């Protein structure tokens, strides 16, 4: 986009579209069944995430509404999640939309067709953040299960899992009260041997406290992920801009000046 419009979502169940140059709101999107938790521009359209409790089914039904931003009307509604949508992300070309939900899944949507293409299953906790690669072929999700997963957005397959682990000490599990007779005999022999060893030790050497609890070291997931972002390749962006540049020397200079400044080229029309 040209950066002239801004969309904001509120707890009043509406989305307002603002004209930055005119410093005023020019459209209000009304009719959401509850708070709007997410909003995205898709070229001249706006996607909003919301939902409502279904009393009969006793389940939260989330939905993504695609709006005609200028007319302020809903063009289509996408449904599929069985709990609240926590985050949404869009591919750079606006063709792929991905939503993350408390239902432990993420869903991939074809914006143009208005349909779900994949459900990404694998997390054991709510999915709270999501990012889409610039080409729309991969998805990254972060979950309350303390893992980040990378997915093939087309095939719907998990590619890799990232997690942060710490070594912590926890009390060792106690043995069962009832033991087999053979185990008891072995245990008694060990006790006798330990007793003799203890008696043979130097008197001033402190003996270990028999009541002290034994501890073992285990790995524990230590980081709960709350946000995630996918870095676009500057070289890839430069390549796309170069492809769009025309043969005219002045036009090429203009394109590459945009590349060097790191600005978006969406406003640069072919000559």
């Amino acid at each position: 986009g040209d950066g002239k419009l801004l969309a904001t979502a509120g707890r009043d169940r509406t989305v307002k579209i603002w004209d930055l140059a005119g410093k005023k709101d020019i459209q209000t999107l009304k009719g959401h069944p509850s708070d709007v938790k997410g909003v995205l521009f898709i070229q001249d359209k706006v996607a909003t995430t919301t939902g409502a409790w279904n009393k009969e089914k006793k389940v939260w039904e989330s939905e993504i509404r695609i709006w005609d931003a200028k007319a302020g009307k809903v063009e289509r509604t996408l449904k599929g999640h069985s709990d609240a949508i926590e985050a949404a992300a869009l591919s750079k070309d606006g063709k792929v939309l991905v939503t993350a939900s408390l239902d432990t899944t993420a869903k991939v949507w074809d914006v143009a067709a208005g349909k779900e293409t994949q459900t990404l299953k694998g997390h054991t906790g709510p999915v709270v953040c999501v990012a889409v690669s610039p080409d729309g072929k991969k998805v990254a999700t972060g979950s309350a299960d303390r893992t980040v997963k990378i997915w093939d957005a087309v095939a719907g397959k998990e590619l890799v899992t990232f997690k942060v682990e710490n070594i912590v000490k926890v009390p060792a599990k106690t043995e069962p009260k009832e033991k087999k007779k053979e185990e008891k005999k072995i245990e008694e022999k060990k006790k006798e041997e330990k007793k003799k060893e203890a008696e043979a030790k130097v008197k001033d050497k402190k003996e270990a406290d028999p009541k002290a609890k034994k501890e073992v070291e285990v790995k524990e997931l230590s980081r709960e992920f709350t946000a995630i972002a996918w870095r676009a390749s500057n070289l890839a962006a430069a390549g796309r801009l170069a492809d769009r540049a025309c043969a005219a020397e002045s036009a090429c200079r203009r394109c590459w000046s945009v590349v060097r400044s790191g600005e978006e080229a969406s406003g640069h029309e072919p000559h």
Side-chain angles (χ1 to χ4, degrees), residues 1-2 7 14 66 74 85 106 125 128 152 178 184 195 203-204 210 215 236 249-250 261 268:
D2 53 15
T14 71
I66 309 297
V74 179
I85 294 173
V128 296
D152 181 322
E178 295 182 0
K184 282 186 177 182
K195 187 177 180 180
K203 291 181 180 180
D204 61 347
E215 292 184 331
E249 184 179 358
S250 60
S261 66
H268 171 46

Side-chain angles (χ1 to χ4, degrees), residues 160-180:
V160 65
T161 296
F162 296 108
K163 54 190 175 182
V164 179
E165 294 180 327
N166 280 346
I167 302 297
V168 296
K169 291 183 178 181
V170 298
K173 293 182 179 180
T174 56
E175 298 178 352
K177 293 182 179 180
E178 295 182 0
K179 296 181 179 180
K180 295 180 180 180

Side-chain angles (χ1 to χ4, degrees), residues 71-225:
K73 295 181 179 180
V74 179
E75 291 189 344
R76 61 170 59 98
T77 299
L78 311 178
K79 295 183 178 181
H81 284 295
S82 60
D83 210 330
I85 294 173
E86 286 294 291
L90 193 68
S91 63
K92 194 166 185 178
D93 59 10
K95 295 180 179 180
V96 179
L97 175 68
V98 183
T99 51
S101 172
L102 296 181
D103 65 10
T104 73
T105 73
K107 289 184 181 291
V108 183
W109 309 83
D110 182 324
V111 176
K115 65 178 183 179
E116 174 190 329
T117 59
Q118 289 292 347
T119 296
L120 310 180
K121 298 179 179 179
H123 284 295
T124 57
V127 184
V128 296
C129 51
V130 64
V132 186
S133 64
D135 59 9
K137 294 181 179 180
K138 292 184 177 64
V139 172
T141 56
S143 170
D145 66 8
R146 300 172 186 263
T147 66
V148 163
K149 293 181 182 292
I150 308 299
W151 309 79
D152 181 322
V154 179
K157 294 182 178 180
E158 180 183 329
L159 301 177
V160 65
T161 296
F162 296 108
K163 54 190 175 182
V164 179
E165 294 180 327
N166 280 346
I167 302 297
V168 296
K169 291 183 178 181
V170 298
K173 293 182 179 180
T174 56
E175 298 178 352
K177 293 182 179 180
E178 295 182 0
K179 296 181 179 180
K180 295 180 180 180
K181 291 181 179 180
E182 293 182 2
E183 291 178 342
K184 282 186 177 182
K185 290 180 180 180
I186 294 173
E187 191 68 24
E188 288 175 0
K189 286 182 179 180
K190 287 182 179 180
K191 286 181 179 180
E192 286 294 327
E193 290 176 357
K194 287 182 179 179
K195 187 177 180 180
K196 290 178 181 180
E197 289 177 1
E199 291 174 351
K201 286 182 180 180
V202 182
K203 291 181 180 180
D204 61 347
K205 191 174 182 180
K206 294 182 179 180
E207 295 181 6
D209 182 1
K211 294 183 179 180
K213 294 182 179 179
K214 293 182 179 180
E215 292 184 331
V216 294
E217 291 185 344
V218 297
K219 289 182 179 180
E220 180 181 80
L221 297 182
S222 61
R223 181 183 178 90
E224 186 170 332
F225 299 91

Side-chain angles (χ1 to χ4, degrees), residues 52-68:
W53 179 257
N54 188 315
K55 294 181 179 179
E56 294 181 359
K57 296 181 180 179
K58 294 182 179 181
V59 66
W60 182 270
E61 293 183 338
S62 288
E63 60 183 54
I64 305 104
R65 295 188 176 189
I66 309 297
W67 300 75
D68 180 321

